[in-house]
Amino acid sequence: MKSLLDRDRACLWHPYTQMLTAPAPIPVVRAQGVYLYTEDGQRILDGISSWWVNIHGHSHPKLNEALAAQARQLEHVVFAGCTHRPAVELAEGLLQVLPAGLTRIFYSDDGSTAVEVALKLALQYWQNLGQPRRSKFIALHHAYHGDTVGAMSAGEESVFTRAFTPMMFPVARAHAPYCYRCPLGLQRETCRIDCLGDLERQLAAEGEAVAGVLIEPMLQGAGGMIVWPAEFLAGVRRLCDRYQTLLIADEVLTGFGRTGRMFACEHAGIRPDLVCLSKGLTAGYLPLGATAATEAIYEAFLSEDRGRTFFHGHSYTANPLACAVGLASLAVFREDGVLARVQALERQLRAGLEPLRRLPWVGDVRVIGGVGVLELASSEAGYLASAGPRLYQEFLSRGLLLRPLGNVVYFLPPYVITEAQADWALEQIRGVIEAFGSVT
Ligand SMILES: Cc1ncc(COP(=O)(O)O)c(C=O)c1O
């Protein structure tokens, strides 16, 4: 009989995978807590929370029960013209934990579509207000917002997007506060967040044509796990207010506790006009996106003129199974002291990774909430840096699943990871990174 891997090879095409040269995929048969169990009997620690989605651990009893109970009741129904309890209750629950002033939830399918919805809402908001000139977006260098065309356009040009340039629309780009590779060559200890000046100059020049500024607050993910000073985030809000444009926060990665607060915007005490959510929204169970909006944005779409409607929707909008799990996840946050656990993990990551700074080949160590990052001071930077695949194999051979972003190694486990499990993972990371210099 053919193995699962042979059958996979015969019919599948994996995401972000060069099918000619990539190592064979890991055949996972079940998962529990922080561990994945493979067909050939291995146990692997999921150090990237299954592409950053899992927060309470795999196969969580409360989430399993919520999913099964919902499946017995209502698996799905069209959301245009119908409603259901899971969609309403999840929206109510989200609005309770989101920054005050966000009052409406628009559901979609995943992180990319949550971003598409935000961009389209922003654009049409200004049209509905009679200001169609506000049609441009500003995003940041190193940004990543997803792989659909609008989300790609908002992301930094990179190997991910190059082939698709002809189908993308122009988005202006301002400096990000990437302190280790400061765009202005300054030092964080002495700078005054001078990098914000770039956004300010662009808003001063073009402010009246700008529909919105799109950011990944506090932690830019796929662009290199770049951790921000909170002052930059506060400054972006200030500038959007000054130039009267919308602030769109893509919290697809940072939402639901990943940075140690429920939402990353809380680090600067700001309220965006639109917030994009996905990933941790269903604790890693099912695809679901949500875009939260202020009442002012919502009201701009209310009209006797049906042409002002927001014409956007997906077949699986507000899928009840996904909403039911999302609701159960919010209950886990309330009942199980989840944020305190993330904050303890942050202290452990800092203590475990900071000592690696002494190695000449470790350029930077960054920690925020449940994310620990090592940026190798390699001359080859970026996603295609050859260190990535080599390190992936090294970690995997020790039973730890990490997917370095080229020369950036990060550890981003489910929050349920115990102190002992995190200690073990940090020991593997230290072992691999300490040995790495001798082979580069
Ligand atoms: C900040 C951010 N926005 C959007 C996305 C896209 O989400 P999805 O992969 O669910 O489409 C991602 C995915 O990694 C992300 O990190």
Side-chain angles (χ1 to χ4, degrees):
M1 214 180 67
K2 277 186 163 180
S3 74
L4 191 64
L5 288 179
D6 289 337
R7 288 162 61 198
D8 174 290
R9 272 282 180 252
C11 64
L12 281 172
W13 193 341
H14 288 261
Y16 279 83
T17 303
Q18 174 41 259
M19 297 300 289
L20 186 66
T21 54
I26 305 164
V28 179
V29 287
R30 71 184 182 89
Q32 184 72 52
V34 293
Y35 292 116
L36 309 175
Y37 295 88
T38 70
E39 200 183 29
D40 53 355
Q42 289 182 62
R43 189 184 76 169
I44 299 170
L45 194 148
D46 183 356
I48 55 160
S49 296
S50 288
W51 250 352
W52 320 345
V53 298
N54 193 291
I55 55 180
H56 306 309
H58 293 275
S59 197
H60 190 290
K62 289 181 187 169
L63 304 185
N64 290 352
E65 183 42 40
L67 177 58
Q70 186 56 45
R72 286 191 291 272
Q73 197 72 33
L74 171 68
E75 83 301 339
H76 187 65
V77 65
V78 54
F79 203 60
C82 293
T83 193
H84 47 78
R85 188 185 287 272
V88 173
E89 292 187 351
L90 178 59
E92 289 170 348
L94 289 173
L95 294 174
Q96 269 172 24
V97 291
L98 277 161
L102 293 157
T103 59
R104 298 281 162 178
I105 298 293
F106 190 97
Y107 289 113
S108 59
D109 287 357
D110 50 40
S112 301
T113 53
V115 170
E116 298 282 346
V117 165
L119 296 174
K120 289 172 72 173
L121 280 176
L123 203 63
Q124 193 180 339
Y125 165 74
W126 293 113
Q127 285 170 28
N128 286 358
L129 289 188
Q131 298 189 51
R133 223 172 81 72
R134 284 197 179 266
S135 60
K136 296 186 177 170
F137 289 96
I138 304 178
L140 300 187
H141 286 290
H142 313 290
Y144 177 82
H145 295 289
D147 286 350
T148 52
V149 174
M152 261 198 311
S153 303
E156 172 93 290
E157 195 225 303
S158 73
V159 64
F160 300 167
T161 63
R162 212 154 287 150
F164 314 112
T165 311
M167 65 163 69
M168 284 155 50
F169 56 82
V171 169
R173 213 154 288 290
H175 285 328
Y178 189 177
C179 301
Y180 173 59
R181 298 178 191 270
C182 173
L184 302 175
L186 303 175
Q187 299 296 322
R188 177 67 273 267
E189 297 71 36
T190 48
C191 86
R192 299 166 67 188
I193 316 290
D194 308 66
C195 51
L196 196 57
D198 192 23
L199 178 62
E200 174 148 33
R201 270 186 297 280
Q202 296 191 37
L203 284 170
E206 290 226 73
E208 284 174 13
V210 176
V213 175
L214 172 61
I215 57 165
E216 291 157 89
M218 296 306 292
L219 174 68
Q220 290 182 288
M225 292 292 166
I226 299 161
V227 178
W228 291 6
E231 295 90 332
F232 184 90
L233 177 57
V236 175
R237 177 69 272 183
R238 228 175 20 249
L239 291 177
C240 288
D241 286 341
R242 188 177 309 155
Y243 293 95
Q244 292 171 24
T245 194
L246 299 177
L247 172 55
I248 307 170
D250 175 353
E251 293 238 19
V252 167
L253 161 61
T254 53
F256 304 99
R258 189 57 74 182
T259 68
R261 305 284 183 93
M262 194 62 170
F263 297 100
C265 284
E266 295 171 25
H267 288 274
I270 61 144
R271 195 263 292 142
D273 301 290
L274 291 159
V275 179
C276 310
L277 303 172
S278 188
K279 294 199 186 270
L281 174 58
T282 63
Y285 266 61
L286 287 158
L288 182 68
T291 306
T294 60
E295 198 65 6
I297 293 177
Y298 174 74
E299 281 177 357
F301 288 75
L302 303 179
S303 172
E304 296 296 328
D305 172 4
R306 289 176 63 212
R308 288 189 175 206
T309 304
F310 185 50
F311 288 110
H312 185 109
H314 301 278
S315 314
Y316 284 99
T317 296
N319 175 254
L321 301 171
C323 290
V325 179
L327 192 56
S329 169
L330 290 182
V332 172
F333 270 101
R334 284 194 303 273
E335 292 157 14
D336 294 358
V338 174
L339 290 179
R341 173 70 202 113
V342 182
Q343 287 150 15
L345 177 60
E346 173 171 339
R347 290 190 288 276
Q348 201 182 352
L349 293 176
R350 220 178 277 289
L353 296 178
E354 273 297 336
L356 291 174
R357 226 185 249 282
R358 71 185 146 79
L359 300 173
W361 52 93
V362 172
D364 196 21
V365 178
R366 304 188 274 270
V367 175
I368 185 167
V371 190
V373 186
L374 299 173
E375 176 161 347
L376 301 181
S378 141
S379 53
E380 238 194 328
Y383 189 79
L384 292 184
S386 59
R390 274 174 46 212
L391 287 165
Y392 169 86
Q393 286 298 349
E394 292 280 336
F395 290 122
L396 197 57
S397 69
R398 290 169 175 248
L400 176 61
L401 178 63
L402 298 185
R403 285 175 56 94
L405 296 157
N407 62 317
V408 176
V409 177
Y410 67 92
F411 177 50
L412 189 156
Y415 311 153
V416 289
I417 192 166
T418 64
E419 203 177 327
Q421 289 165 338
D423 265 342
W424 175 86
L426 287 165
E427 208 175 298
Q428 308 316 306
I429 294 170
R430 280 194 299 268
V432 169
I433 296 299
E434 276 167 2
F436 188 71
S438 56
V439 294
T440 43

